[in-house]
Amino acid sequence: MAALKYAGMDDTDSEDELPPGWEERSTKDGWVYYANHEEMKTQWEHPKTGKKKRCAGDLPYGWEQETDEKGQKIYVDHINKRTTYFDPRQAFTVEDVMMKPKRYDGNTAALEILQGRDLSDKVVLITGGNSGIGFETARSFALHGGHVILACRNLSRASKAVSLIQQEWHKARVEAMMCNLASLRSVREFAESFKAKKLPLHILVCNAAVCTQPWSLTEDGLESTFQICHLGHFLLVQCLQDVLRRSAPARVVVVSSESHRFTDLLDSCGKVDLAVLSPPKNEYWSMLAYNRAKLCNILFSNELHRRLSPHGVTSNALHPGNMMYTSIHKSWWLMTFLFTLARPFTKSMQQGAATTVYCAVAPELEGLGGMYFNNCFRCQPSNQAQDLSSAASLWELSERLVAERSVGIQSL
């Protein structure tokens, strides 16, 4: 090895021990490099072993990387009130070897998936991010440096969610914006406000949903579960498609549910039927309406991927996990009671957010889409959810519905 020409290198007690005049440093994203102060040069390879290393995981709890007055990186230990130029992660380095993607399951938390990830160059938009799975998704992205925008109906609750995240980390870049999916006008106004910020959009999470709602019509004359769970998101993506394409590679993540398997959307002619999706009051059953909306989510995601993947925008749908205690069922007292009884056996919100985060950041999914995930594993949705003609039919119906209620909306 060429490095062995340096005198005395083979006399050290450990092969990892650096020779005189060398210093181990690390980059912001955790890669280790070596500085030779005598020859005033740096290199990635260890001067003795010739191996490359990287830091394993995040900074320890309570530590933060900052820059001193000379522009040098320093590490601040807020718990013990001390600073150092030594990256504490260097105590836990691993060799740079080809590694298989880590396997996750239903017990994995969202923050585990993001361990060691730096999202400071990502802009993330999440609908319904003020509570439940959406909040944990937003929190996870923000604590790893992402610029997170919560698109929520209730701006007061969204602002409280922002405060909670910033209390946890004062440098978290997270903000709330008004977006009511039950109003197509509100969705368009939100899209224009977002575009005015001149931000890119790397990850769009269609998370917001309602379940077991009493029958009601939105201001657009459509059944509320259908519009909030599907059509509002359809319009949102349609309005932001140009931003997504400019930000490529970008990902859309659509939160669906296993309940999509227990319904159908087609009429006798094999077309997606609006009367099924937005039924009159006397034909409405809240759980069935939710199941249909979740089937719409997967069909929408698949067709979106087919249309935008040539432009660097991918889309995947997912089921966040079985038996999670959230507030989504609050409109039905029986469901609330049953979930209260089952709460000791349910997933946590952090575990519920894991599959969303996985679909948004997993390196092995770069450029891949049109798939359905459960517990961070790809699985097969129902036959109708995979039907290309159903996806196209729903898309055409959705385009017509938003076009009838607007003027000049650009078509994908």
Side-chain angles (χ1 to χ4, degrees):
M1 186 185 304
L4 291 176
K5 67 180 182 180
Y6 291 96
M9 289 185 64
D10 54 350
D11 293 331
T12 58
D13 295 331
S14 167
E15 68 170 8
D16 287 330
E17 185 176 341
L18 291 170
W22 286 83
E23 180 187 359
E24 185 177 271
R25 298 177 178 175
S26 64
T27 64
K28 182 179 179 181
D29 55 358
W31 290 103
V32 175
Y33 68 98
Y34 301 91
N36 184 336
H37 293 293
E38 294 180 359
E39 299 185 12
M40 302 297 291
K41 69 177 185 178
T42 61
Q43 63 187 52
W44 294 111
E45 298 82 8
H46 189 287
K48 185 175 180 182
T49 66
K51 296 177 180 178
K52 295 181 180 179
K53 291 183 177 182
R54 58 182 174 83
C55 299
D58 299 330
L59 288 169
Y61 180 77
W63 285 80
E64 188 173 6
Q65 180 180 301
E66 296 183 356
T67 305
D68 66 11
E69 62 276 3
K70 296 181 180 179
Q72 291 184 298
K73 287 187 302 181
I74 59 173
Y75 298 89
V76 182
D77 181 353
H78 291 289
I79 296 176
N80 296 306
K81 309 298 183 184
R82 60 179 178 174
T83 61
T84 177
Y85 289 99
F86 178 76
D87 185 342
R89 295 175 299 174
Q90 289 177 211
F92 306 98
T93 56
V94 296
E95 292 183 13
D96 179 25
V97 296
M98 293 299 293
M99 300 177 64
K100 294 181 179 179
K102 186 175 179 181
R103 301 302 296 269
Y104 303 105
D105 57 30
N107 294 317
T108 303
L111 287 170
E112 291 180 54
I113 294 174
L114 290 173
Q115 185 176 14
R117 297 294 299 267
D118 179 7
L119 303 179
S120 58
D121 61 342
K122 303 296 184 185
V123 176
V124 185
L125 172 60
I126 304 174
T127 63
N130 62 294
S131 63
I133 296 171
F135 173 76
E136 286 300 330
T137 303
R139 171 176 169 264
S140 300
F141 285 135
L143 293 181
H144 283 263
H147 182 173
V148 180
I149 297 173
L150 310 183
C152 301
R153 173 182 59 85
N154 189 316
L155 202 54
S156 174
R157 292 179 183 174
S159 298
K160 290 180 181 178
V162 169
S163 297
L164 286 174
I165 295 172
Q166 291 178 334
Q167 286 172 19
E168 192 166 355
W169 186 36
H170 69 285
K171 290 188 176 181
R173 294 181 298 160
V174 56
E175 59 182 300
M177 295 179 65
M178 171 67 181
C179 182
N180 183 3
L181 295 169
S183 165
L184 299 182
R185 172 186 51 79
S186 175
V187 173
R188 295 188 192 100
E189 290 174 352
F190 167 83
E192 291 305 312
S193 297
F194 179 87
K195 289 179 179 180
K197 292 178 176 288
K198 305 296 182 183
L199 291 171
L201 180 56
H202 304 103
I203 300 170
L204 170 55
V205 181
C206 298
N207 167 82
V210 291
C211 180
T212 62
Q213 289 275 102
W215 182 88
S216 66
L217 294 179
T218 67
E219 65 181 48
D220 301 292
L222 298 167
E223 192 278 315
S224 59
T225 302
F226 166 67
Q227 180 165 329
I228 294 170
C229 293
H230 166 66
L231 195 65
H233 285 123
F234 175 87
L235 178 59
L236 178 64
V237 174
Q238 197 176 43
C239 290
L240 296 178
Q241 58 149 326
D242 53 337
V243 183
L244 287 164
R245 289 169 63 163
R246 287 197 303 269
S247 308
R251 301 189 191 189
V252 178
V253 180
V254 184
V255 180
S256 180
S257 169
E258 277 291 279
S259 67
H260 81 274
R261 300 183 187 277
F262 310 115
T263 189
D264 190 15
L265 303 180
L266 306 181
D267 60 17
S268 58
C269 299
K271 292 287 187 179
V272 175
D273 189 356
L274 178 60
V276 171
L277 292 174
S278 182
K281 186 174 183 179
N282 62 333
E283 297 178 14
Y284 176 77
W285 181 35
S286 60
M287 200 64 230
L288 186 57
Y290 178 76
N291 297 350
R292 288 167 175 164
K294 295 292 103 178
L295 176 55
C296 287
N297 289 156
I298 302 177
L299 292 170
F300 163 59
S301 177
N302 292 346
E303 182 68 7
L304 176 65
H305 178 74
R306 187 186 71 80
R307 290 169 179 257
L308 287 191
S309 57
H311 305 285
V313 182
T314 59
S315 180
N316 286 299
L318 65 100
H319 170 59
N322 296 323
M323 295 297 291
M324 278 181 299
Y325 189 89
T326 74
S327 61
I328 194 173
H329 49 75
K330 61 186 178 182
S331 298
W332 190 8
W333 70 267
L334 178 59
M335 186 71 76
T336 301
F337 174 71
L338 293 175
F339 268 81
T340 301
L341 293 179
R343 188 167 190 173
F345 312 101
T346 63
K347 275 188 173 186
S348 70
M349 292 300 101
Q350 256 293 305
Q351 292 170 328
T355 306
T356 302
V357 169
Y358 174 78
C359 290
V361 303
E364 59 268 28
L365 297 185
E366 189 65 55
L368 302 178
M371 298 182 287
Y372 176 69
F373 290 82
N374 185 359
N375 290 330
C376 301
F377 283 91
R378 183 185 179 184
C379 60
Q380 294 298 316
S382 68
N383 290 336
Q384 188 174 347
Q386 301 176 67
D387 183 61
L388 297 179
S389 62
S390 295
S393 179
L394 175 63
W395 191 279
E396 292 169 3
L397 172 63
S398 301
E399 275 193 323
R400 177 168 58 83
L401 291 174
V402 298
E404 289 172 351
R405 291 158 176 80
S406 63
V407 177
I409 297 295
Q410 182 181 359
S411 177
L412 292 177

